[in-house]
Amino acid sequence: MDLPSNNILETTLIGTGGGYGESIVLHLGNQNWIVVDSCVDPKTNNSLPLEYLKSIGVKVEKDVKLIICTHWHDDHILGISKLFEAAKNAVLSITKTSDRKKFLQLVELDYHKVESNSSISSTIELKNCISIANNRRGTIKTASEDRVLFSSNNSKIKIEVISLSPSDFVVHEFNEEISTLMKDFGNPNKKIVFNTPNDKSVVILVKINDHRILLGSDLEVTDDPRKGWLCILNKSQCIDAKSTIFKIPHHGSSTGYHKRIWDELIAENAIAKLTPWNRGNKLPKKDMLEKYLNHTPRLYSTSLNLNNKSKPRKRDRSLAKAINKFNSSLIEIKYHLGIVKCSANLNTQNVIWKVNLHDEAIQITANNIQKL
Amino acid sequence: MEGDTALKDHWILDREHSNEQVKPHIFRIIIDSLEAKVDERKKYLQNSNTNIEFDSNNDFLKIPKFESFNSDYYNNYIGKSQNWVGHVIEIMHDKFTAKLQDSNYPGTYEIANFEMEEISQGDKDLLTLGAIFYWSVGFAYEKGQVSKKSIIRFKRSAYLSENDIDNIADRASFFDKNINWDD
């Protein structure tokens, strides 16, 4: 993989198989780089988007302009503080909260548990990012509905990166959730477990000249039109054209799907890409992949769990037998690195996306759906 | 690593069955054989015709008694073991699901279901969403017999002090004021 030239638009989806996160790296032309979310290699704990940027020769310190944390779940935030530390010129963007001080108290409260090994990775990452921003007297830009997070306009390339969610209603609602999290998980013998829908997720619309890219994060569809995808579909004032690249929300789950998203926001034969989820209720399901294929034949995943046999980690044989005697349900959440890279020339009138697959990334076809 | 040190105290299998404790068991054998020899000598002197006044209470003939020595305890130790730190991510009627991090070799994590009946009565109140626990599986050597053991112990912690809470609130206010928040 090489450094793209200034006229090449690139979106690179990095997936880990679900357990260790996902990230999207975008080159918006003229060495303007933005990164949406972060993930890690569990063996090294290195930030994968940072490794990727370095591997292709990006001047991370200078050229990464914006880092967006779409929501603070482990599968979207791991490694983001290392990335932010390296990207000295970047602005960090996180979900808006109506009571910021209370949110910071929650982060501090959970970080306080770090010595007893009870903090969650998300708060450690956030706390580190906050400290970095404080040390460099930097800016943290909050993301909410229809907000421009980054823009650039030179003679040839006009860029806007816009957050379409969370809605004002969700931001207000999040306030109550923070209080509950502090009450329920403040004790050092507990780790925070998120049990609420992904309605705080930040959906990103990227506009570059006439190109549109929609990054669905983990936003789900709810019956309440004040939140989720229905709110974007009904209220957004920023969507002016259909996107030719779509990061399918929430690992291709049925809760992230609404026909209107595809009809109203996504161009015909667009490139759709997703990352799978390998824990518990595995995603995507076969029926959903069939549904996506009806919308576009250009469907990609960073990996696909074709072999459903989950096992524990490899260990000494006698120990493995003892473990199996006591608990046969033990399974390892495997790490499956895959990269789906799409590139297009900004100088051409018609959008022609070229797709490159790396590591375990795969194009999903009717044939390989049958093997699931 | 800071975390490792803090966690090690909680490995119940390690604490109760440590390889370090094999050594006292060997000492017990040595002491037993010494005691047998002293008893033999005492009997010989008592039965002999020589005119030696023998005081059986004489301290120098006594082998110190190790009253607190619990031989059962020191016969027990653990051979190979596997330890995890887990936290509860889902609770169902008769079982719960946990995310587990291997303490021996960190890296990828594991998921497992546990039956409620595997949890000791004293730990049941601690079983809530997010609760941290320690799980050890290993080979226990008890009185020369080998058996497989699995022990689950939930973490107990003190609540935060008033001072801790004040510090948390102060740091939150500091970052709220000092960072340039662009809302």
Side-chain angles (χ1 to χ4, degrees), chain B residues 13-45:
Chain B
L13 279 175
D14 279 0
R15 197 160 48 183
E16 290 175 9
H17 308 274
S18 157
N19 286 326
E20 285 297 306
Q21 288 153 356
V22 175
K23 228 181 269 173
H25 175 61
I26 295 162
F27 292 152
R28 180 73 257 173
I29 295 166
I30 296 166
I31 289 165
D32 283 350
S33 66
L34 280 171
E35 272 182 337
K37 279 189 178 168
V38 170
D39 285 347
E40 203 177 296
R41 185 67 181 158
K42 273 196 230 169
K43 274 180 200 163
Y44 171 75
L45 290 171

Short mmCIF file of all heavy atoms in Angstrom, two decimals, chain B residues 13-45:
data_model
loop_
_atom_site.label_atom_id
_atom_site.label_comp_id
_atom_site.label_asym_id
_atom_site.label_seq_id
_atom_site.Cartn_x
_atom_site.Cartn_y
_atom_site.Cartn_z
N LEU B 13 -6.07 -20.07 44.30
CA LEU B 13 -5.37 -21.35 44.16
C LEU B 13 -3.90 -21.17 44.50
O LEU B 13 -3.30 -21.96 45.20
CB LEU B 13 -5.50 -21.89 42.74
CG LEU B 13 -6.80 -22.62 42.43
CD1 LEU B 13 -6.85 -22.98 40.96
CD2 LEU B 13 -6.97 -23.86 43.26
N ASP B 14 -3.31 -20.09 44.03
CA ASP B 14 -1.90 -19.82 44.29
C ASP B 14 -1.65 -19.65 45.78
O ASP B 14 -0.67 -20.10 46.32
CB ASP B 14 -1.44 -18.54 43.58
CG ASP B 14 -1.13 -18.81 42.13
OD1 ASP B 14 -1.28 -19.98 41.74
OD2 ASP B 14 -0.76 -17.87 41.43
N ARG B 15 -2.59 -18.97 46.45
CA ARG B 15 -2.37 -18.64 47.84
C ARG B 15 -2.49 -19.89 48.72
O ARG B 15 -1.72 -20.11 49.62
CB ARG B 15 -3.40 -17.59 48.28
CG ARG B 15 -2.98 -16.91 49.55
CD ARG B 15 -3.68 -15.61 49.72
NE ARG B 15 -5.10 -15.71 49.48
CZ ARG B 15 -5.92 -14.68 49.53
NH1 ARG B 15 -5.46 -13.50 49.75
NH2 ARG B 15 -7.20 -14.82 49.31
N GLU B 16 -3.47 -20.68 48.41
CA GLU B 16 -3.69 -21.84 49.26
C GLU B 16 -2.83 -23.03 48.87
O GLU B 16 -2.59 -23.91 49.67
CB GLU B 16 -5.17 -22.23 49.20
CG GLU B 16 -6.02 -21.19 49.92
CD GLU B 16 -7.49 -21.48 49.77
OE1 GLU B 16 -7.83 -22.56 49.28
OE2 GLU B 16 -8.29 -20.61 50.15
N HIS B 17 -2.40 -23.07 47.67
CA HIS B 17 -1.63 -24.22 47.21
C HIS B 17 -0.40 -23.74 46.46
O HIS B 17 -0.32 -23.86 45.25
CB HIS B 17 -2.46 -25.08 46.24
CG HIS B 17 -3.79 -25.46 46.75
ND1 HIS B 17 -4.00 -26.55 47.53
CD2 HIS B 17 -5.00 -24.88 46.59
CE1 HIS B 17 -5.29 -26.64 47.82
NE2 HIS B 17 -5.91 -25.64 47.27
N SER B 18 0.54 -23.20 47.19
CA SER B 18 1.70 -22.68 46.48
C SER B 18 2.82 -23.71 46.47
O SER B 18 3.00 -24.45 47.44
CB SER B 18 2.19 -21.41 47.18
OG SER B 18 3.51 -21.19 46.89
N ASN B 19 3.59 -23.76 45.40
CA ASN B 19 4.73 -24.67 45.32
C ASN B 19 5.76 -24.37 46.41
O ASN B 19 6.49 -25.24 46.85
CB ASN B 19 5.41 -24.54 43.95
CG ASN B 19 4.57 -25.18 42.88
OD1 ASN B 19 3.90 -26.19 43.14
ND2 ASN B 19 4.57 -24.61 41.70
N GLU B 20 5.80 -23.13 46.85
CA GLU B 20 6.71 -22.72 47.91
C GLU B 20 6.47 -23.54 49.17
O GLU B 20 7.33 -23.70 50.01
CB GLU B 20 6.48 -21.24 48.23
CG GLU B 20 7.04 -20.29 47.19
CD GLU B 20 8.54 -20.40 47.09
OE1 GLU B 20 9.20 -20.27 48.13
OE2 GLU B 20 9.05 -20.65 45.99
N GLN B 21 5.25 -24.01 49.31
CA GLN B 21 4.88 -24.66 50.57
C GLN B 21 5.21 -26.15 50.58
O GLN B 21 4.89 -26.85 51.53
CB GLN B 21 3.41 -24.42 50.85
CG GLN B 21 3.20 -22.96 51.24
CD GLN B 21 1.82 -22.46 50.92
OE1 GLN B 21 1.02 -23.18 50.33
NE2 GLN B 21 1.53 -21.25 51.29
N VAL B 22 5.86 -26.64 49.58
CA VAL B 22 6.31 -28.03 49.57
C VAL B 22 7.44 -28.18 50.58
O VAL B 22 7.58 -29.19 51.24
CB VAL B 22 6.78 -28.43 48.16
CG1 VAL B 22 7.35 -29.84 48.17
CG2 VAL B 22 5.62 -28.34 47.19
N LYS B 23 8.27 -27.14 50.71
CA LYS B 23 9.46 -27.18 51.57
C LYS B 23 9.13 -27.57 53.02
O LYS B 23 9.71 -28.52 53.54
CB LYS B 23 10.13 -25.80 51.52
CG LYS B 23 11.62 -25.92 51.27
CD LYS B 23 12.27 -24.58 51.24
CE LYS B 23 12.31 -24.01 49.86
NZ LYS B 23 12.78 -22.62 49.86
N PRO B 24 8.18 -26.93 53.72
CA PRO B 24 7.86 -27.33 55.09
C PRO B 24 7.48 -28.80 55.21
O PRO B 24 7.72 -29.43 56.22
CB PRO B 24 6.69 -26.43 55.45
CG PRO B 24 6.87 -25.24 54.59
CD PRO B 24 7.45 -25.74 53.32
N HIS B 25 6.90 -29.36 54.17
CA HIS B 25 6.53 -30.76 54.19
C HIS B 25 7.78 -31.64 54.35
O HIS B 25 7.80 -32.60 55.12
CB HIS B 25 5.78 -31.08 52.89
CG HIS B 25 5.44 -32.52 52.73
ND1 HIS B 25 4.61 -33.16 53.62
CD2 HIS B 25 5.81 -33.43 51.81
CE1 HIS B 25 4.49 -34.43 53.23
NE2 HIS B 25 5.21 -34.61 52.15
N ILE B 26 8.86 -31.28 53.67
CA ILE B 26 10.12 -32.02 53.78
C ILE B 26 10.68 -31.86 55.20
O ILE B 26 11.13 -32.82 55.82
CB ILE B 26 11.14 -31.52 52.73
CG1 ILE B 26 10.60 -31.86 51.34
CG2 ILE B 26 12.52 -32.11 52.94
CD1 ILE B 26 11.23 -31.09 50.22
N PHE B 27 10.60 -30.66 55.77
CA PHE B 27 11.06 -30.43 57.15
C PHE B 27 10.32 -31.33 58.14
O PHE B 27 10.87 -31.86 59.08
CB PHE B 27 10.87 -28.97 57.56
CG PHE B 27 11.78 -28.02 56.81
CD1 PHE B 27 11.42 -26.70 56.59
CD2 PHE B 27 13.02 -28.46 56.33
CE1 PHE B 27 12.26 -25.84 55.90
CE2 PHE B 27 13.86 -27.59 55.65
CZ PHE B 27 13.47 -26.29 55.43
N ARG B 28 9.03 -31.51 57.90
CA ARG B 28 8.22 -32.34 58.81
C ARG B 28 8.78 -33.78 58.85
O ARG B 28 8.89 -34.39 59.90
CB ARG B 28 6.78 -32.33 58.29
CG ARG B 28 5.76 -33.12 59.06
CD ARG B 28 5.39 -32.47 60.37
NE ARG B 28 6.03 -33.11 61.50
CZ ARG B 28 5.99 -32.65 62.74
NH1 ARG B 28 5.40 -31.51 63.01
NH2 ARG B 28 6.55 -33.28 63.71
N ILE B 29 9.16 -34.27 57.68
CA ILE B 29 9.70 -35.64 57.59
C ILE B 29 11.00 -35.72 58.39
O ILE B 29 11.22 -36.66 59.16
CB ILE B 29 9.94 -36.05 56.12
CG1 ILE B 29 8.59 -36.12 55.39
CG2 ILE B 29 10.68 -37.38 56.01
CD1 ILE B 29 8.69 -36.18 53.89
N ILE B 30 11.86 -34.69 58.24
CA ILE B 30 13.15 -34.68 58.97
C ILE B 30 12.89 -34.67 60.48
O ILE B 30 13.48 -35.44 61.24
CB ILE B 30 14.00 -33.47 58.54
CG1 ILE B 30 14.37 -33.59 57.05
CG2 ILE B 30 15.26 -33.35 59.39
CD1 ILE B 30 14.91 -32.33 56.43
N ILE B 31 11.97 -33.80 60.91
CA ILE B 31 11.68 -33.67 62.35
C ILE B 31 11.12 -34.99 62.89
O ILE B 31 11.51 -35.46 63.96
CB ILE B 31 10.69 -32.50 62.60
CG1 ILE B 31 11.44 -31.18 62.37
CG2 ILE B 31 10.13 -32.53 64.02
CD1 ILE B 31 10.55 -29.98 62.21
N ASP B 32 10.23 -35.62 62.13
CA ASP B 32 9.66 -36.91 62.57
C ASP B 32 10.76 -37.95 62.80
O ASP B 32 10.76 -38.68 63.78
CB ASP B 32 8.67 -37.43 61.52
CG ASP B 32 7.34 -36.69 61.58
OD1 ASP B 32 7.15 -35.93 62.56
OD2 ASP B 32 6.53 -36.85 60.66
N SER B 33 11.72 -37.99 61.87
CA SER B 33 12.78 -39.01 62.00
C SER B 33 13.68 -38.68 63.20
O SER B 33 14.13 -39.57 63.91
CB SER B 33 13.59 -39.14 60.72
OG SER B 33 14.30 -37.96 60.51
N LEU B 34 13.91 -37.39 63.48
CA LEU B 34 14.70 -36.99 64.65
C LEU B 34 13.98 -37.39 65.94
O LEU B 34 14.58 -37.92 66.88
CB LEU B 34 14.94 -35.48 64.66
CG LEU B 34 16.06 -34.96 63.74
CD1 LEU B 34 16.02 -33.44 63.70
CD2 LEU B 34 17.42 -35.44 64.25
N GLU B 35 12.68 -37.14 65.99
CA GLU B 35 11.88 -37.47 67.18
C GLU B 35 11.95 -38.96 67.46
O GLU B 35 12.08 -39.39 68.61
CB GLU B 35 10.42 -37.04 66.97
CG GLU B 35 10.19 -35.61 67.40
CD GLU B 35 8.73 -35.17 67.25
OE1 GLU B 35 7.99 -35.78 66.43
OE2 GLU B 35 8.33 -34.22 67.94
N ALA B 36 11.88 -39.76 66.42
CA ALA B 36 11.92 -41.22 66.58
C ALA B 36 13.24 -41.65 67.21
O ALA B 36 13.28 -42.49 68.11
CB ALA B 36 11.72 -41.89 65.23
N LYS B 37 14.32 -41.03 66.76
CA LYS B 37 15.65 -41.38 67.30
C LYS B 37 15.76 -40.98 68.77
O LYS B 37 16.32 -41.71 69.59
CB LYS B 37 16.74 -40.69 66.48
CG LYS B 37 17.03 -41.46 65.20
CD LYS B 37 18.21 -40.94 64.48
CE LYS B 37 18.45 -41.81 63.24
NZ LYS B 37 19.39 -41.22 62.35
N VAL B 38 15.23 -39.82 69.14
CA VAL B 38 15.29 -39.35 70.53
C VAL B 38 14.48 -40.28 71.43
O VAL B 38 14.90 -40.67 72.51
CB VAL B 38 14.81 -37.88 70.65
CG1 VAL B 38 14.63 -37.47 72.11
CG2 VAL B 38 15.82 -36.97 69.98
N ASP B 39 13.28 -40.67 70.97
CA ASP B 39 12.45 -41.59 71.75
C ASP B 39 13.18 -42.91 72.01
O ASP B 39 13.15 -43.47 73.11
CB ASP B 39 11.13 -41.87 71.03
CG ASP B 39 10.19 -40.69 71.12
OD1 ASP B 39 10.46 -39.78 71.94
OD2 ASP B 39 9.20 -40.65 70.34
N GLU B 40 13.86 -43.39 70.97
CA GLU B 40 14.61 -44.64 71.06
C GLU B 40 15.69 -44.52 72.14
O GLU B 40 15.88 -45.39 72.98
CB GLU B 40 15.26 -44.90 69.69
CG GLU B 40 15.61 -46.33 69.42
CD GLU B 40 16.18 -46.43 68.00
OE1 GLU B 40 15.43 -46.15 67.03
OE2 GLU B 40 17.38 -46.73 67.90
N ARG B 41 16.40 -43.39 72.14
CA ARG B 41 17.48 -43.13 73.09
C ARG B 41 16.95 -43.05 74.53
O ARG B 41 17.53 -43.59 75.45
CB ARG B 41 18.18 -41.82 72.70
CG ARG B 41 19.39 -41.46 73.52
CD ARG B 41 20.54 -42.42 73.28
NE ARG B 41 21.71 -42.09 74.08
CZ ARG B 41 22.66 -42.93 74.40
NH1 ARG B 41 22.59 -44.19 74.01
NH2 ARG B 41 23.70 -42.56 75.11
N LYS B 42 15.78 -42.38 74.66
CA LYS B 42 15.15 -42.25 75.99
C LYS B 42 14.85 -43.63 76.57
O LYS B 42 15.15 -43.93 77.72
CB LYS B 42 13.84 -41.47 75.87
CG LYS B 42 14.00 -39.97 75.95
CD LYS B 42 12.63 -39.39 76.21
CE LYS B 42 12.21 -38.29 75.34
NZ LYS B 42 10.86 -37.90 75.41
N LYS B 43 14.22 -44.50 75.77
CA LYS B 43 13.86 -45.84 76.20
C LYS B 43 15.11 -46.61 76.62
O LYS B 43 15.14 -47.31 77.63
CB LYS B 43 13.15 -46.58 75.07
CG LYS B 43 11.67 -46.32 75.05
CD LYS B 43 11.02 -47.08 73.91
CE LYS B 43 9.68 -46.45 73.58
NZ LYS B 43 9.21 -46.88 72.28
N TYR B 44 16.18 -46.47 75.84
CA TYR B 44 17.43 -47.19 76.12
C TYR B 44 17.98 -46.78 77.47
O TYR B 44 18.34 -47.59 78.31
CB TYR B 44 18.44 -46.92 75.01
CG TYR B 44 19.83 -47.44 75.33
CD1 TYR B 44 20.12 -48.79 75.25
CD2 TYR B 44 20.83 -46.55 75.74
CE1 TYR B 44 21.37 -49.27 75.56
CE2 TYR B 44 22.08 -47.03 76.05
CZ TYR B 44 22.37 -48.38 75.97
OH TYR B 44 23.61 -48.85 76.29
N LEU B 45 18.00 -45.48 77.74
CA LEU B 45 18.54 -44.96 78.99
C LEU B 45 17.70 -45.41 80.20
O LEU B 45 18.23 -45.75 81.24
CB LEU B 45 18.62 -43.42 78.96
CG LEU B 45 19.68 -42.83 78.02
CD1 LEU B 45 19.52 -41.32 77.91
CD2 LEU B 45 21.07 -43.17 78.50
#
